[in-house]
Amino acid sequence: MSSPGFWDNQETAQSVVSRISSLKAIIEPVEQLTREAKDLSELFELAVESEPEALEHLENDLAKLTKSCEQTELTGLLSGPNDSRNCFFSIHAGAGGTESCDWVSMLLRMYTRYFDNNKYKYEELDITPGEEAGIRSITLRVSGLFAYGKLSCETGVHRLVRISPFDANKRRHTRFAAVDCLPEFEEDVESEINEEDLKIDFYRAGGAGGQHVNKTSSAVRILHKPTGIVVQCQNERSQHKNRAQAMKVLKARLYMLEQQKRDAEVAKLYGAKGEIAFGSQIRSYTLQPYQLIKDHRTDYETGNVDAVLDGEIEGFIEAYLKHRAKGGPNARKKSGIQKKEEQ
């Protein structure tokens, strides 16, 4: 960073700064805990010899240190090759019309509040509104420390049970939405795309209107012919920027597709959702006749549904990280650290 001309290329510079932040987030807490443990050990020896009354105060310090160690241990579980990357985060409605589209809106609110609470930055890349209300599908770019590592824990089908506000007879409905998460790769990813394999369409962006939206054909839709993968972006003002973002999403999807072919476990990161319907959910949100949110992978549950829907999902993420580290049925490929420990 101190070399001349470091900031001449803004994209490269930002990538390096982001990488440094990720490394510091791993190293600095461990160094801090090491210092605190050493200091506490020395204070304990002094207290035993000359100030027994100080032992009670040291017990409080030890409790704080233990809690900090647990948090650092959780960070250590984010050791996958892509965990420190930014990500593309998508939510898609299942069958069920307006009710499912409204469920996507509720999930979007939950996740954006989680992003705000954890100081993640996010921007909308593409959105398809529901026919009457809510959102049919939405894709966000999320950036922040371990964005992909944490949000990949949310990949799967989310099930909602409630009395529908759209039902005049006040009957209980069950609806589904699928959450998907892909790592964002820079130019270093090994995924070559042949331009001849692409069909690129430009169209007018949808939305509420304004000086730009609906007036120029700046939105971009890209079809990758060999795989049938379709990506689109309409957030930026120019075709060039929308095309660049869409190509990043396509590159991420193709990379994950290659990973699926090489490793069946990694396929679960993208393909574990299955059908967006009964029997495939990873988590159930029951609002009626009782209130309970339960993750079916870890059995972690809470009755405080309002807090969860307001973005307090860290408990579910931590439970799944621990579950994954133990090699549960939905655990992804073991990290290099785990392999070395086994050897």
Side-chain angles (χ1 to χ4, degrees), residues 85-307:
R85 294 183 183 271
N86 300 330
C87 68
F88 298 109
F89 190 76
S90 304
I91 312 174
H92 307 276
T98 302
E99 180 75 11
S100 292
C101 293
D102 188 57
W103 176 219
V104 172
S105 297
M106 292 172 64
L107 285 174
L108 177 63
R109 177 182 179 274
M110 179 183 80
Y111 285 119
T112 52
R113 292 206 169 193
Y114 174 75
F115 299 157
D116 293 336
N117 293 339
N118 288 270
K119 299 180 180 179
Y120 285 172
K121 296 180 181 179
Y122 58 93
E123 58 178 317
E124 179 186 304
L125 296 184
D126 183 62
I127 184 171
T128 302
E131 291 76 9
E132 297 179 15
I135 299 170
R136 173 59 57 187
S137 67
I138 186 168
T139 300
L140 305 173
R141 178 184 179 272
V142 184
S143 57
L145 195 59
F146 297 112
Y148 176 72
K150 288 194 170 185
L151 294 177
S152 63
C153 299
E154 296 296 293
T155 299
V157 175
H158 295 245
R159 173 178 178 250
L160 172 69
V161 180
R162 67 168 180 176
I163 295 175
S164 172
F166 304 100
D167 188 338
N169 296 319
K170 302 298 181 183
R171 291 171 295 188
R172 193 166 71 244
H173 287 245
T174 300
R175 291 295 178 261
F176 300 87
V179 171
D180 204 0
C181 187
L182 294 168
E184 179 187 18
F185 295 105
E186 304 298 335
E187 297 304 320
D188 58 340
V189 65
E190 298 178 3
S191 180
E192 295 183 3
I193 300 176
N194 190 340
E195 290 287 336
E196 296 179 357
D197 292 336
L198 303 180
K199 180 186 177 188
I200 303 176
D201 297 319
F202 300 99
Y203 61 98
R204 293 190 178 185
Q211 293 182 347
H212 167 69
V213 176
N214 296 326
K215 292 189 177 182
T216 60
S217 298
S218 59
V220 177
R221 181 185 295 110
I222 301 176
L223 166 65
H224 187 250
K225 298 175 185 176
T227 61
I229 293 175
V230 178
V231 297
Q232 54 191 39
C233 182
Q234 61 178 9
N235 181 62
E236 301 292 345
R237 287 178 172 267
S238 71
Q239 286 183 358
H240 176 73
K241 290 183 178 180
N242 279 327
R243 187 182 188 279
Q245 285 284 18
M247 287 297 292
K248 278 190 174 184
V249 179
L250 178 60
K251 184 179 292 187
R253 294 199 177 213
L254 290 175
Y255 177 84
M256 295 302 288
L257 194 61
E258 287 300 314
Q259 288 288 86
Q260 289 176 24
K261 294 176 182 177
R262 290 195 297 263
D263 194 316
E265 286 298 314
V266 178
K268 293 176 183 177
L269 288 174
Y270 183 78
K273 296 189 304 301
E275 185 182 356
I276 310 176
F278 282 99
S280 58
Q281 66 270 7
I282 64 163
R283 190 177 304 155
S284 293
Y285 303 70
T286 305
L287 306 187
Q288 276 97 14
Y290 55 90
Q291 294 195 331
L292 179 71
I293 300 178
K294 179 176 181 178
D295 195 298
H296 302 291
R297 302 166 299 179
T298 64
D299 288 332
Y300 181 88
E301 60 183 39
T302 177
N304 192 354
V305 299
D306 291 334

